[in-house]
C-alpha cells in the first residue's frame, strides 16, 4: 500500500551506531512538507526553523466533523535504570504503520527534560533506527515550551513571596493605596488581574469607593500562612543542592526568612496543566485555580487571588500549540508537554492527541481510520494508570489498544537477577539464556497485564528484542503474556531495523483495534476507570484503591502530615478529584529494591499535595524526590560542540 508520507529510507548498519550518529545521517524533510502530508494547512503551521513547527489549535475546529482514528497507548513493565524501550517502541510502531504499511499515523510523545538528558537516563527521542529527528533539537530546547513553563511557574512564586513581604510590612490602608491607586476622577484603578478576586468576594456589584474598611481588608490581605505554602520555584535541571533552600536572606527582606526548595520544571503543576488543557480558555481557567497556600483561616489561596493568572496565560500562549516533528522514516510526530512520570502524570498533551486523532480520522464509514500512537511514562502501574484515570477523564478519550513493552533483561531482574546499573557491565545471567529466572520474572509482566485489563481495554505485549535474546526466551514471555490475558505477544526489532522490524507488531495492533482477535471473556468489554471521583469516594479510599489494586499492597499507612492534608483538603472541598501517586519507577511498590510482584506490605504515604489547576491531588510515597540529582558519571560529560557547530555525544 502506498504511504500518505514520502518515506525516508534507512541505511541500516551493523553494529547499530549511536543515536545521534543515526539521526545526523538522515536528511529530514522540510517540516512544511510533513505538515502538508499530514493534512495540516499552511495557515495552521508556524515553522521554527526547517525541521520543527508549532501547529495552531484552529485545526480542531476545521476537522470537528471527523470521526477519530484509532488510539493506541504504549506503556511498559517495571523498568530498569537502562529503560526498556517504550519511546523507541512508540516511534518504531508509528514508522511501521505509516512508512511500511501505508497507514495514516501520528506518534505523540512528551518533550524531554534536559535534567535526565544530561543525567543518566538520556533523552526521549527513541533510539537506534526508531527515533524522532533531529534528535538534538528534540532533546534540547525544542521551541521553548519548558522555558515558558519555568517562567510561568517562577513568576507565580515571585508574586507569592512579594505579597507575603508587602502584607507583612504594610497596613491595609497602605496596601489599598498601592494596589488600587486613586484616579483623577476619584475612582480606584483595580488591576485587571484582580477582577476575579473582586468577584470571588462578592464585591463586583459595588463601587470600590463604597467598600467598607472590612471589605477593603478582605480584598487586599490574603493573610497567607507561610507554613502552608506548597508552591516552589523550578528549573529544568537535576540539581540536588536545591531540594531545600532558605530564601529572603538579604537585609532588604526584613528578616522574613522562609524555608522552601526547587522542583524540576517538568514536575511543575504548570506543565501538568499544559498537558491536560483542552483549549486556551481552559488553560487560563486552570492556571487561575492553582492553589499555592492556605490563609490563616484555612481558605485556599489561588493564583487568581494573586492577580497572576492572566500573566501566566500570556507566557504560555505559544506553548499550548503542539510541536510537529518527524520520525527517521518521515512519518509525523507531535511532541508536546513533558510532565515527569514518577512525580506527575507522565503523558503528552490532550490537545496533541485530539488534533492527531482528527488528522488520522475519517469522514465516511467507508474510509479506513488511521492510528495515533502515544505513550505513558515508565510502567503501566504509573504512567498507564494516570493516563487512564486522569488524562482520559480530562479528554473524554479512551484507548483502543494498550501495548505493554517488555524486555528479557528487565524480566530477569524481576526474577532475581543482579542489579542492572548504567555504565556498568551486565551480569552473566543477562548475556546467556536463563529460562527459570525469566519465568519467575514474568510475574511482573503478568501483574501489569492484569492491571491494564481492569480498565476494559485489550492488551498486546511488545517484546522489545535485544541482541543477546534467544527465541526460547521470547517464547517464555509470549506464553506468560497469553496466560495473563494479553491478546497477543509480539517480538519487535525496531531498534535495529526501524519500521520494518515493527511490522508484525503493527499488524497485531491493527487486528486488535478492529477486534479481530478472539474476545477475552474474562475482561469487561466497556472502558471504565479504576475508581469514582464522585459521591462518597474519599481521598483516602481512592489512594487505597490504587495501592491495593495496582501495587498489590495490603494496606496504606498515612503519615501525620498526610493525615493533616487529608483533613485540610476535605474541608476545602477537593475530594472529587482523581489521584496522582508519586513513587519510584523501579518497583510496583514504594521500595525500588523490591522486584517482581511484592505482596504483604504496607504502602507509606508521607505527604499529599493539591494540584487544583491540573485537576488532581498527588500523594508522595516514602522517599520520592521532586527534583532528581546527578550521578557521579553523567551524560553531559560526553556532550560537545564540533567544529561545524553540531552537537555530539548525546545518547
Amino acid at each position: 500500500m502506498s504511504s500518505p508520507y514520502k518515506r525516508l529510507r534507512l541505511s541500516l548498519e551493523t553494529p547499530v551506531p549511536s543515536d545521534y550518529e543515526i539521526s545526523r545521517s538522515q536528511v529530514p524533510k522540510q517540516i512544511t512538507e510533513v505538515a502538508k502530508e499530514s493534512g495540516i494547512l499552511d495557515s495552521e503551521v508556524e515553522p521554527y526553523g526547517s525541521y520543527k513547527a508549532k501547529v495552531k489549535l484552529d485545526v480542531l475546529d476545521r476537522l470537528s466533523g471527523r470521526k477519530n482514528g484509532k488510539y493506541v497507548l504504549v506503556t511498559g513493565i517495571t523498568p530498569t535504570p537502562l529503560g526498556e524501550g517504550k519511546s523507541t517502541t512508540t516511534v518504531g510502531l508509528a514508522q511501521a504503520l505509516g512508512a511500511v504499511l501505508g497507514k495514516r499515523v501520528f506518534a505523540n510523545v512528551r518533550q524531554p527534560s534536559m535534567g535526565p538528558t544530561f543525567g543518566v537516563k538520556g533523552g526521549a527521542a527513541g533510539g537506534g533506527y526508531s527515533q524522532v529527528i533531529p534528535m538534538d533539537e528534540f532533546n534540547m530546547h525544542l521551541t521553548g515550551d519548558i522555558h515558558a513553563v519555568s517562567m510561568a511557574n517562577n513568576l507565580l512564586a515571585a508574586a507569592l513571596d512579594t505579597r507575603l513581604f508587602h502584607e507583612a510590612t504594610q497596613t491595609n490602608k497602605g496596601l489599598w493605596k498601592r494596589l488600587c491607586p486613586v484616579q483623577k476622577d476619584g475612582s480606584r484603578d483595580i488591576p485587571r488581574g484582580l477582577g476575579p478576586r473582586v468577584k470571588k468576594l462578592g464585591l463586583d456589584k459595588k463601587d470600590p469607593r463604597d467598600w467598607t474598611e472590612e471589605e477593603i481588608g478582605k480584598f487586599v490581605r490574603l493573610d497567607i500562612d507561610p507554613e502552608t505554602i506548597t508552591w516552589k520555584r523550578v528549573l529544568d535541571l537535576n540539581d540536588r543542592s536545591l531540594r531545600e533552600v532558605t530564601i529572603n536572606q538579604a537585609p532588604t527582606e526584613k528578616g522574613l526568612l522562609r524555608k522552601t526548595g526547587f522542583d524540576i520544571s517538568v514536575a511543575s503543576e504548570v506543565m501538568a496543566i499544559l498537558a491536560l488543557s483542552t483549549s486556551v480558555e481552559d488553560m487560563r481557567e486552570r492556571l487561575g485555580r492553582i492553589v499555592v497556600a492556605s490563609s490563616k483561616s484555612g481558605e485556599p489561596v489561588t493564583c487568581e487571588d494573586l492577580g497572576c493568572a492572566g500573566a501566566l496565560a500570556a507566557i504560555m500562549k505559544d506553548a499550548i500549540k503542539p510541536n510537529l516533528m518527524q520520525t527517521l522514516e518521515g512519518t509525523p510526530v507531535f511532541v508536546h508537554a513533558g510532565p515527569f512520570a514518577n512525580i506527575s502524570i507522565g503523558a503528552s498533551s490532550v490537545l496533541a492527541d485530539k488534533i492527531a486523532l482528527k488528522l488520522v480520522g475519517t469522514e465516511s464509514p467507508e474510509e479506513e481510520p488511521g492510528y495515533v500512537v502515544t505513550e505513558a511514562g515508565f510502567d503501566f502501574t504509573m504512567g498507564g494508570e494516570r493516563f487512564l484515570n486522569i488524562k482520559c477523564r480530562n479528554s473524554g478519550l479512551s484507548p483502543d489498544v494498550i501495548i505493554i513493552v517488555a524486555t528479557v533483561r528487565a524480566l530477569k531482574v524481576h526474577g532475581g537477577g543482579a542489579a542492572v546499573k548504567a555504565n556498568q557491565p551486565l551480569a552473566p545471567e543477562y548475556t546467556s539464556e536463563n529460562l527459570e529466572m525469566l519465568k519467575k520474572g514474568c510475574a511482573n509482566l503478568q501483574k501489569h497485564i492484569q492491571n491494564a485489563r481492569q480498565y476494559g481495554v485489550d492488551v498486546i505485549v511488545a517484546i522489545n528484542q535485544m541482541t543477546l535474546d534467544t527465541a526460547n526466551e521470547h517464547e517464555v514471555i509470549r506464553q506468560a503474556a497469553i496466560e495473563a490475558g494479553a491478546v497477543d505477544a509480539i517480538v519487535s526489532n525496531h531498534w535495529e531495523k526501524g519500521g520494518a522490524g515493527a511490522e508484525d507488531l503493527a499488524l497485531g495492533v491493527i487486528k486488535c483495534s478492529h477486534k479481530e482477535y478472539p474476545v477475552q471473556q474474562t475482561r469487561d468489554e466497556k472502558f471504565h476507570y479504576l475508581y469514582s471521583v464522585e459521591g462518597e469516594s474519599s481521598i483516602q479510599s481512592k489512594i487505597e484503591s490504587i495501592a491495593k489494586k495496582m501495587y498489590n499492597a495490603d494496606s496504606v499507612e498515612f503519615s501525620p502530615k498526610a493525615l493533616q492534608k487529608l483533613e485540610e483538603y476535605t474541608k476545602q472541598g477537593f475530594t472529587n478529584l482523581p489521584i496522582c501517586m508519586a513513587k519510584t519507577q523501579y518497583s510496583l511498590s514504594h521500595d525500588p529494591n523490591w522486584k517482581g510482584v511484592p505482596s504483604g506490605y504496607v504502602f507509606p504515604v508521607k505527604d499529599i499535595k493539591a494540584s487544583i489547576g491540573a485537576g488532581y491531588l498527588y500523594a508522595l510515597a516514602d522517599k520520592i524526590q521532586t527534583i532528581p540529582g546527578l550521578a557521579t558519571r553523567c551524560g553531559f560529560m560526553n556532550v560537545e560542540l564540533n567544529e561545524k557547530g553540531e552537537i555530539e555525544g548525546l545518547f
Side-chain angles (χ1 to χ4, degrees):
M1 181 183 292
S2 61
S3 173
Y5 317 107
K6 175 188 172 184
R7 185 176 182 182
L8 300 179
R9 297 290 173 179
L10 299 177
S11 179
L12 303 178
E13 295 182 34
T14 304
V16 176
S18 68
D19 291 349
Y20 76 90
E21 288 174 313
I22 292 172
S23 175
R24 188 166 300 150
S25 70
Q26 185 65 284
V27 179
K29 291 181 283 191
Q30 293 289 307
I31 200 62
T32 49
E33 183 180 356
V34 176
K36 185 175 181 181
E37 292 174 347
S38 305
I40 304 169
L41 304 180
D42 289 346
S43 60
E44 296 165 341
V45 181
E46 297 175 350
Y48 277 62
S50 300
Y51 306 127
K52 55 186 184 288
K54 285 282 185 185
V55 174
K56 296 179 182 178
L57 306 187
D58 301 353
V59 67
L60 273 176
D61 295 327
R62 178 172 64 85
L63 301 178
S64 61
R66 280 193 185 178
K67 184 179 178 181
N68 287 345
K70 298 293 184 179
Y71 199 26
V72 182
L73 170 63
V74 178
T75 180
I77 62 170
T78 306
T80 69
L82 303 183
E84 310 318 313
K86 188 173 63 285
S87 299
T88 308
T89 301
T90 299
V91 177
L93 174 57
Q95 290 177 180
L97 286 165
V100 178
L101 298 177
K103 310 295 183 183
R104 284 172 294 146
V105 70
F106 258 86
N108 284 7
V109 298
R110 288 174 295 157
Q111 179 183 353
S113 163
M114 283 193 282
T117 295
F118 289 136
V120 173
K121 184 178 178 295
Y129 289 102
S130 294
Q131 291 187 55
V132 182
I133 57 171
M135 68 90 76
D136 52 350
E137 294 184 27
F138 176 95
N139 283 314
M140 295 177 66
H141 302 296
L142 197 60
T143 57
D145 292 352
I146 293 181
H147 301 297
V149 167
S150 303
M151 182 62 190
N153 183 103
N154 293 343
L155 173 59
L156 181 53
L160 171 62
D161 280 304
T162 297
R163 189 57 172 264
L164 282 168
F165 173 83
H166 288 305
E167 287 193 20
T169 56
Q170 296 181 55
T171 64
N172 288 354
K173 185 177 180 180
L175 289 168
W176 178 233
K177 176 183 176 181
R178 291 171 179 82
L179 268 177
C180 307
V182 178
Q183 303 280 69
K184 288 182 179 179
D185 63 359
S187 64
R188 289 280 179 172
D189 180 15
I190 297 179
R192 182 176 180 180
L194 290 176
R197 178 159 177 80
V198 173
K199 188 173 183 180
K200 175 181 176 180
L201 295 173
L203 298 172
D204 52 319
K205 304 286 194 299
K206 196 173 180 182
D207 190 313
R209 286 174 287 194
D210 298 328
W211 291 1
T212 66
E213 287 189 12
E214 183 182 359
E215 289 170 335
I216 290 170
K218 285 183 178 180
F219 174 71
V220 301
R221 192 166 295 278
L222 300 179
D223 203 25
I224 297 164
D225 180 356
E227 296 298 318
T228 67
I229 293 173
T230 55
W231 198 256
K232 296 181 179 181
R233 288 161 175 80
V234 299
L235 76 168
D236 190 34
L237 189 67
N238 291 1
D239 193 344
R240 65 189 311 122
S241 299
L242 296 176
R243 286 172 177 165
E244 186 172 303
V245 299
T246 302
I247 60 172
N248 297 330
Q249 296 192 80
T252 54
E253 304 317 296
K254 311 290 185 183
L256 297 173
L257 296 179
R258 184 169 75 83
K259 281 191 175 181
T260 181
F262 278 70
D263 291 337
I264 194 164
S265 296
V266 287
S268 169
E269 185 179 349
V270 177
M271 179 61 86
I273 287 172
L274 177 64
L276 295 173
S277 294
T278 56
S279 65
V280 172
E281 295 77 16
D282 182 42
M283 180 181 72
R284 168 62 182 81
E285 290 176 9
R286 287 173 180 271
L287 290 169
R289 291 199 300 265
I290 292 172
V291 173
V292 296
S294 294
S295 69
K296 291 173 184 175
S297 62
E299 293 295 314
V301 177
T302 68
C303 179
E304 210 78 89
D305 289 325
L306 287 161
C308 210
L312 266 63
I315 292 170
M316 297 292 292
K317 75 177 184 66
D318 290 321
I320 197 172
K321 303 168 190 172
N323 304 295
L324 180 65
M325 295 188 76
Q326 64 192 289
T327 68
L328 273 167
E329 296 188 64
T331 58
V333 180
F334 273 141
V335 186
H336 199 216
F340 236 36
N342 61 348
I343 301 166
S344 187
I345 60 170
S348 60
S349 78
V350 165
L351 280 168
D353 287 359
K354 288 197 165 194
I355 293 172
L357 284 165
K358 293 299 182 187
L359 288 168
V360 304
T362 57
E363 295 182 359
S364 68
E366 294 76 29
E367 284 186 87
E368 182 185 356
Y371 300 83
V372 174
V373 184
T374 190
E375 64 174 352
F378 293 125
D379 62 13
F380 177 83
T381 300
M382 296 181 69
E385 182 269 315
R386 297 169 198 162
F387 182 96
L388 299 171
N389 283 312
I390 298 177
K391 184 177 178 181
C392 287
R393 283 186 207 266
N394 279 266
S395 68
L397 303 169
S398 59
D400 294 284
V401 185
I402 293 174
I403 295 174
I404 296 179
V405 179
T407 62
V408 170
R409 177 182 64 199
L411 290 173
K412 285 181 177 178
V413 169
H414 291 294
V420 171
K421 298 181 180 179
N423 303 314
Q424 292 187 19
L426 291 172
E429 57 262 38
Y430 302 113
T431 59
S432 60
E433 188 174 273
N434 190 325
L435 301 184
E436 288 306 310
M437 181 178 287
L438 180 61
K439 287 177 183 176
K440 184 179 177 183
C442 279
N444 183 269
L445 168 63
Q446 291 180 315
K447 175 59 176 169
H448 284 294
I449 294 169
Q450 291 159 5
N451 282 353
R453 281 168 51 77
Q454 291 186 55
Y455 296 84
V457 184
D458 285 322
V459 176
I460 290 178
V461 172
I463 304 171
N464 184 16
Q465 183 175 339
M466 295 187 174
T467 307
L468 297 174
D469 293 358
T470 69
N472 288 335
E473 290 172 328
H474 291 162
E475 182 59 22
V476 165
I477 297 173
R478 193 189 73 80
Q479 289 181 9
I482 300 299
E483 180 183 297
V487 298
D488 209 346
I490 303 169
V491 178
S492 186
N493 193 12
H494 42 276
W495 181 78
E496 195 170 28
K497 297 182 179 179
E503 184 175 0
D504 288 344
L505 179 60
L507 291 170
V509 166
I510 293 170
K511 187 177 176 182
C512 186
S513 68
H514 290 278
K515 303 298 180 187
E516 295 175 8
Y517 280 99
V519 175
Q520 296 284 335
Q521 298 296 336
T522 58
R523 177 181 64 77
D524 187 333
E525 285 295 305
K526 187 177 179 182
F527 172 75
H528 56 274
Y529 304 116
L530 186 69
Y531 52 82
S532 171
V533 295
E534 305 297 336
E536 299 300 317
S537 180
S538 67
I539 300 169
Q540 184 171 341
S541 68
K542 284 179 282 194
I543 292 172
E544 289 173 344
S545 182
I546 295 170
K548 291 176 181 179
K549 294 179 181 179
M550 294 286 105
Y551 310 155
N552 210 39
D554 272 4
S555 60
V556 177
E557 181 180 66
F558 295 88
S559 71
K561 186 176 184 180
L563 288 170
Q564 179 188 340
K565 293 291 187 68
L566 282 173
E567 182 179 358
E568 178 183 344
Y569 295 147
T570 299
K571 285 181 179 177
Q572 292 177 343
F574 299 147
T575 55
N576 291 342
L577 292 173
I579 305 295
C580 177
M581 301 284 273
K583 73 174 198 72
T584 180
Q585 65 269 35
Y586 297 126
S587 172
L588 283 168
S589 73
H590 61 284
D591 189 329
N593 298 309
W594 295 356
K595 305 302 181 184
V597 185
S599 61
Y601 71 96
V602 177
F603 187 85
V605 173
K606 69 174 183 178
D607 196 4
I608 303 170
K609 296 188 178 181
S611 292
I612 306 305
Y616 58 78
L617 303 177
Y618 74 97
L620 287 81
D622 201 34
K623 301 175 183 177
I624 191 70
Q625 298 290 343
T626 52
I627 182 168
L630 290 170
T632 305
R633 179 188 172 98
C634 294
F636 69 79
M637 295 176 179
N638 290 317
V639 176
E640 189 54 85
L641 201 63
N642 68 21
E643 64 278 1
K644 297 179 182 178
E646 299 168 331
I647 297 170
E648 293 184 344
L650 287 170
F651 285 79

